[in-house]
Amino acid sequence: MRSFLYASGAAALVLLMAAAPAGAAEADQDFTVKDPRITESSGLAASHAHPGVYWTHNDQDAALIYGIDSRTGETVATLTMKGVGTPRDMEAISVGPDGNIYVGDIGDNLDGSWNHVWIYRFPEPKRLKDQTVQAKQYDVKYADGPRNAEALMVHPKTGRVYIASKNEDGGGLYAGPERLSSAGTNVFRRIGEVPWVTDGAFSPDGGTLVLRGYFTAKSYGWKDGRLAGGEGESVGAPFQGQAESVTYTKDGSALMFGSEGKESRVVRVGVETPSPESSGPAPSASGAATAPPGKGQGEEGNFTLGVVVLGLATALVIGGKRLLRRG
């Protein structure tokens, strides 16, 4: 009987450990960027090739891109772009459906001092290590003249690149050509009006565009290459001192909000599309509901399972002790 008791307790302990939340070791949760070189993280993009890894870069820096493991906050790859000029003001990053990483050197703090800006593109590396990557450089102009911008988004279905400009009185949403060309200038044309924007991201299914500013973030429906969400719906962005970036997790279950500064914090805000029968957070105009920052549905499920397993283990121990006393 003692053997049965010990075996049962050990089995329950194994189940409990498996069911317990992984905490800091779990991917796609809140994390702190630990690399001392990253002091102005200005863009954020979830890796398509490496689950739990996020690409970022400094504002106004050398041609360097950093891969951060969200489980630890540590840099697991530093990419040096080759084949491009010296960046002037890198502000945004996105991963396209073609497996390429797109970097927007699109900042212009004087709102029109540069008659063109640049986009860099290179294949997302298959291995996470420090390496040099061969990138293409694309010249970009706006059909209605130069402007400042911090948000670049690549649509996950069409691969088309969009830029949102930044202005105190509101900005514009610009669509690039169907395919970028390195042979000439790529003209981006205004297709909509947006508020003050510091970054943006498409949902993995391409049906929602999230745009964030310093104090708010809104989701908009997206249809036929246009905004379809009216004034947009708040997605409950966290307050951050220098709110600079946003991206969806690879599976679309959450938004990750980043900021500038040394040891900056990236905060997870869960999104969910509830079934008609379910109750819970009210859906946004885009059909997404928000959960508290840093707490996803998977954590709640693990907690519930952990409670059940703990109860089972307790019952086994108590029952075993009673059998021993009777013996």
Side-chain angles (χ1 to χ4, degrees):
M1 181 56 67
R2 289 182 185 275
S3 297
F4 168 76
L5 175 60
Y6 294 149
S8 299
L13 180 60
V14 171
L15 288 173
L16 179 59
M17 292 175 66
E26 187 175 354
D28 300 324
Q29 302 299 316
D30 295 8
F31 66 93
T32 298
V33 177
K34 297 180 180 179
D35 193 327
R37 297 174 297 173
I38 304 173
T39 58
E40 294 183 284
S41 175
S42 194
L44 196 66
S47 169
H48 286 191
H50 309 286
V53 170
Y54 290 83
W55 299 107
T56 189
H57 54 82
N58 278 322
D59 181 1
Q60 298 181 358
D61 200 355
L64 299 175
I65 307 298
Y66 305 94
I68 311 298
D69 190 337
S70 61
R71 302 167 187 85
T72 63
E74 300 285 357
T75 299
V76 292
T78 301
L79 311 180
T80 302
M81 291 187 291
K82 180 182 178 181
V84 303
T86 302
R88 289 186 298 205
D89 193 354
M90 295 195 303
E91 291 285 357
I93 189 168
S94 183
V95 182
D98 56 1
N100 285 305
I101 294 176
Y102 293 72
V103 182
D105 189 359
I106 55 177
D108 185 347
N109 291 327
L110 297 180
D111 290 319
S113 60
W114 297 322
N115 64 1
H116 71 279
V117 291
W118 299 309
I119 293 174
Y120 312 128
R121 187 185 74 172
F122 59 88
E124 183 172 16
K126 296 180 180 179
R127 295 181 59 192
L128 291 172
K129 63 176 183 176
D130 294 352
Q131 58 192 291
T132 298
V133 293
Q134 185 67 43
K136 288 186 177 181
Q137 179 171 309
Y138 301 94
D139 288 345
V140 169
K141 289 187 177 182
Y142 303 96
D144 52 358
R147 57 206 59 249
N148 190 20
E150 293 191 11
L152 177 147
M153 300 76 61
V154 181
H155 194 273
K157 301 299 183 182
T158 66
R160 197 164 197 162
V161 182
Y162 297 85
I163 293 175
S165 66
K166 171 184 171 183
N167 188 280
E168 291 180 2
D169 299 324
L173 182 64
Y174 292 82
E178 289 188 11
R179 293 290 179 271
L180 296 178
S181 172
S182 57
T185 300
N186 297 271
V187 178
F188 278 61
R189 303 184 184 282
R190 197 178 187 111
I191 61 170
E193 306 303 312
V194 295
W196 179 288
V197 173
T198 59
D199 202 9
F202 282 107
S203 59
D205 65 5
T208 302
L209 174 63
V210 169
L211 298 173
R212 83 165 301 182
Y214 287 131
F215 304 107
T216 63
K218 291 185 176 183
S219 66
Y220 301 82
W222 187 264
K223 186 177 181 180
D224 298 329
R226 299 276 178 171
L227 292 172
E231 296 298 318
E233 186 76 14
S234 174
V235 295
F239 175 77
Q240 294 172 303
Q242 185 73 11
E244 282 288 333
S245 57
V246 65
T247 188
Y248 275 89
T249 56
K250 183 183 177 183
D251 64 3
S253 65
L255 289 161
M256 306 292 282
F257 290 90
S259 60
E260 287 190 358
K262 184 179 180 180
E263 295 186 346
S264 60
R265 189 76 172 159
V266 176
V267 178
R268 179 187 193 274
V269 175
V271 295
E272 180 187 11
T273 304
S275 63
E277 297 81 10
S278 66
S279 60
S284 70
S286 63
T290 61
K295 187 172 183 65
Q297 300 301 319
E299 288 181 341
E300 295 175 357
N302 285 342
F303 176 78
T304 302
L305 180 57
V307 171
V308 172
V309 174
L310 180 59
L312 175 61
T314 302
L316 285 171
V317 171
I318 293 174
K321 286 183 177 180
R322 287 177 179 174
L323 288 174
L324 285 173
R325 284 199 297 270
R326 288 178 185 176

